[in-house]
Amino acid sequence: MPTHKRKLFNNIDLGGGHRMTPQRQIVYEVLMSSRDHPTATEVFIRVQERMPSISLATVYNCLDTLAVAGIVKQVNVDREPSRYCGNLAPHAHFHCETCATVMDVDLKGGEEPSKLLKLPRGAKIQKVEVEVRGQCPECARKEKQKDNL
Amino acid sequence: MPTHKRKLFNNIDLGGGHRMTPQRQIVYEVLMSSRDHPTATEVFIRVQERMPSISLATVYNCLDTLAVAGIVKQVNVDREPSRYCGNLAPHAHFHCETCATVMDVDLKGGEEPSKLLKLPRGAKIQKVEVEVRGQCPECARKEKQKDNL
DNA sequence: ATATTATTTAGAATAGTTCTTGATAAAAAT
DNA sequence: ATTTTTATCAAGAACTATTCTAAATAATAT
């Protein structure tokens, strides 16, 4: 039989008694369909297209909840605005200083980043972040062209 | 002949026409004698002991100038206040979430961190930062002891 | 000496993020 | 089913690390 008053969200538990609400669902979907590591404000703008009533504070709350639940990652490069990432596989982030994009970079051997370090005996690792700043191939090429004129 | 009116600072050029001023000298000395990766405010407090008239803005300026000159490093872990480090050798930073200290960690093989990455062909690297969050051995031990009671 | 440039300082301004509050809604308990 | 509890949302205020502004000072170049 057709459900004429279906609930719009599923009752997924995110841990710690957190629910998968419509707002969290849309924030999550927007992030998973983004490849550019958007900031909270950028996520906010994209979510607004589908849910105009949502507030920026809620987007911050949702992103934080999803990150604590471990289904998205918060990415920080220097002290720039935090960016968010749906790629849970271990990887590094390359930040182009010219075009300001952030892209995923794989680690050699596909290894756990913690294996790259001489960690003190007994240390407990929660997360390892590898960040690269520089110029992406495209911007480096453009600059070289300009210099050769 | 003895100089009876000696200048208190040397006229070192930091590049880009920047001078080694008394403030910058003291900020630099304080940082080099610190092993705990102090924040700008912590540097400010330590510098004040030797130069009470210095302002926090100047400490920020000095740290920035020294970092641009390449003789100190700015260290960021997540979006916490920036910390500063006089160790110019390539290394990672371990941040203990329990006691909030930041310590240096060597990379395996003493390698350049950029060699650990599958960087896209043509990318230009400016810097690579490796940050670890977790619990230092001491705090991990203490917590284990507590659990065993 | 004078002009130029860099530096310092105090405080104002900025920006990303978090917090507060009251309202709403879902879940649990009765 | 009603009540109670707990979680969530929204708007805006508050917070905080940092940067900016403007005026004064000091060092270098002319």
Side-chain angles (χ1 to χ4, degrees), chain A:
Chain A
M1 64 173 91
T3 52
H4 61 296
K5 221 180 174 183
R6 187 165 60 89
K7 277 191 187 169
L8 289 170
F9 51 93
N10 19 15
N11 183 22
I12 298 169
D13 185 32
L14 294 173
H18 295 307
R19 305 159 194 155
M20 182 55 96
T21 65
Q23 286 87 349
R24 284 170 185 165
Q25 183 78 48
I26 294 179
V27 166
Y28 181 66
E29 284 169 16
V30 161
L31 192 58
M32 291 312 274
S33 63
S34 300
R35 286 190 173 182
D36 59 342
H37 304 79
T39 63
T41 304
E42 286 164 351
V43 172
F44 173 55
I45 290 166
R46 293 173 203 180
V47 168
Q48 271 191 314
E49 290 169 15
R50 287 172 60 186
M51 186 185 262
S53 65
I54 201 168
S55 74
L56 177 59
T58 297
V59 171
Y60 269 105
N61 287 338
C62 291
L63 288 168
D64 183 60
T65 303
L66 295 171
V68 169
I71 61 175
V72 311
K73 281 210 297 202
Q74 189 185 39
V75 175
N76 294 293
V77 180
D78 293 339
R79 282 186 53 84
E80 287 174 15
S82 289
R83 294 175 174 275
Y84 295 86
C85 174
N87 179 359
L88 296 178
H91 64 281
H93 289 105
F94 185 95
H95 182 114
C96 177
E97 304 208 309
T98 305
C99 64
T101 59
V102 175
M103 63 181 87
D104 288 352
V105 173
D106 284 332
L107 300 162
K108 273 191 186 160
E111 280 190 290
E112 270 290 317
S114 62
K115 291 190 179 161
L116 308 171
L117 304 164
K118 287 188 196 162
L119 285 165
R121 180 182 296 276
K124 276 191 184 172
I125 298 169
Q126 191 167 91
K127 77 168 181 182
V128 180
E129 267 200 42
V130 182
E131 302 158 15
V132 190
R133 288 194 77 103
Q135 245 182 346
C136 69
E138 204 183 335
C139 289
R141 189 175 48 74
K142 281 183 189 162
E143 190 152 298
K144 206 178 168 188
Q145 258 181 352
K146 220 165 56 179
D147 291 348
N148 284 347
L149 291 184

Side-chain angles (χ1 to χ4, degrees), chain B residues 2-60:
Chain B
T3 52
H4 61 297
K5 220 179 175 185
R6 188 162 61 86
K7 278 189 187 171
L8 289 170
F9 51 92
N10 18 17
N11 183 22
I12 298 170
D13 186 32
L14 293 173
H18 295 306
R19 305 160 194 155
M20 182 54 96
T21 65
Q23 286 87 348
R24 285 171 185 166
Q25 184 78 47
I26 295 179
V27 166
Y28 180 66
E29 284 169 15
V30 161
L31 192 58
M32 291 313 273
S33 63
S34 301
R35 286 190 173 181
D36 60 342
H37 304 79
T39 63
T41 305
E42 286 164 351
V43 171
F44 173 55
I45 290 165
R46 292 173 204 182
V47 168
Q48 271 191 313
E49 288 169 17
R50 288 172 59 185
M51 185 184 263
S53 64
I54 201 168
S55 74
L56 177 59
T58 297
V59 172
Y60 269 105

Side-chain angles (χ1 to χ4, degrees), chain A residues 127-131, chain B residues 76-78 92-93 129-133:
Chain A
K127 77 168 181 182
V128 180
E129 267 200 42
V130 182
E131 302 158 15
Chain B
N76 293 293
V77 180
D78 292 340
H93 289 105
E129 267 200 42
V130 181
E131 302 157 15
V132 189
R133 288 194 78 103

Side-chain angles (χ1 to χ4, degrees), chain B residues 57-69:
Chain B
T58 297
V59 172
Y60 269 105
N61 288 338
C62 292
L63 288 168
D64 183 60
T65 303
L66 296 170
V68 168

